[in-house]
Amino acid sequence: MDIVVFESLYGNTAAVAAAIADGLGEGARALTTSEATPEIVAAARIVVAGAPVHAMSLPTTASRESARSKPQGADRMPADLGHMPMREWLAALPRGPRLGAAFDTRVRGPLGHGASKAIAHTLEADGFTLLDGPRGFTVHMHTSASEPATLLARGQLDLAREWGTHLRERAGSLV
């Protein structure tokens, strides 16, 4: 089984995770950090993990609370804080030889990097073999829409699906 684990506040990272899982192929699943239990992770062949970039790294308790006070769009859609932060999930990650990859959702510019590198570093430290370098998918800073995943830049889901396919092919070449 292959899994794509994500932290997503406004649905953008969740949509990218689902597209990556589509690219990984049949049986791959996109799971929130709360759904991806240590037992599921231990049974996975490939673990791809992703989160949004907050202040050039993974979301923190403070940045998640800040998101709570910033509903999105005209209808003021609240941030989804119902799942475990990626930082906590990574801290509880079962060690072991598995294949992995890391991604983030980010705005363009110098402040839009860092979460995927932090995730990749933790995966490697926990014994994972990375299938590719950390990958970023672009989101816009603001939207007037109040539906999940409306901040994604055009074409990002196609790029995520293609990257999932690339990861599956890399994993196949390592077997």
Side-chain angles (χ1 to χ4, degrees):
M1 166 179 54
D2 301 333
I3 60 173
V4 183
V5 182
F6 64 90
E7 174 182 2
S8 186
L9 303 180
Y10 297 107
N12 302 293
T13 310
V16 169
I20 293 168
D22 283 347
L24 285 170
E26 189 175 333
R29 297 170 45 197
L31 304 169
T32 67
T33 50
S34 294
E35 295 169 328
T37 64
E39 297 78 24
I40 289 173
V41 174
R45 176 182 71 119
I46 299 173
V47 177
V48 180
V53 173
H54 284 200
M56 297 179 19
S57 192
L58 290 168
T60 63
T61 301
S63 71
R64 284 170 57 96
E65 283 305 313
S66 176
R68 180 189 306 273
S69 68
K70 297 176 185 169
Q72 177 179 295
D75 294 333
R76 305 193 45 80
M77 180 180 76
D80 177 5
L81 301 176
H83 52 276
M84 171 187 317
M86 179 59 70
R87 285 178 186 271
E88 289 178 25
W89 182 83
L90 287 167
L93 187 64
R95 293 186 61 84
R98 266 179 227 84
L99 302 174
F103 74 97
D104 59 34
T105 50
R106 59 176 71 164
V107 295
R108 289 188 196 275
L111 301 179
H113 302 277
S116 60
K117 289 179 183 176
I119 294 167
H121 176 75
T122 302
L123 292 176
E124 280 188 306
D126 284 342
F128 285 69
T129 299
L130 296 183
L131 294 169
D132 199 3
R135 180 65 64 101
F137 297 93
T138 306
V139 296
H140 299 290
M141 192 82 111
H142 302 287
T143 182
S144 60
S146 295
E147 295 84 34
T150 56
L151 289 173
L152 283 167
R154 177 175 286 134
Q156 296 304 288
L157 295 180
D158 291 333
L159 291 173
R161 203 169 292 105
E162 291 168 11
W163 191 55
T165 299
H166 169 73
L167 296 174
R168 181 185 70 227
E169 290 168 353
R170 288 277 301 137
S173 72
L174 296 175
V175 175

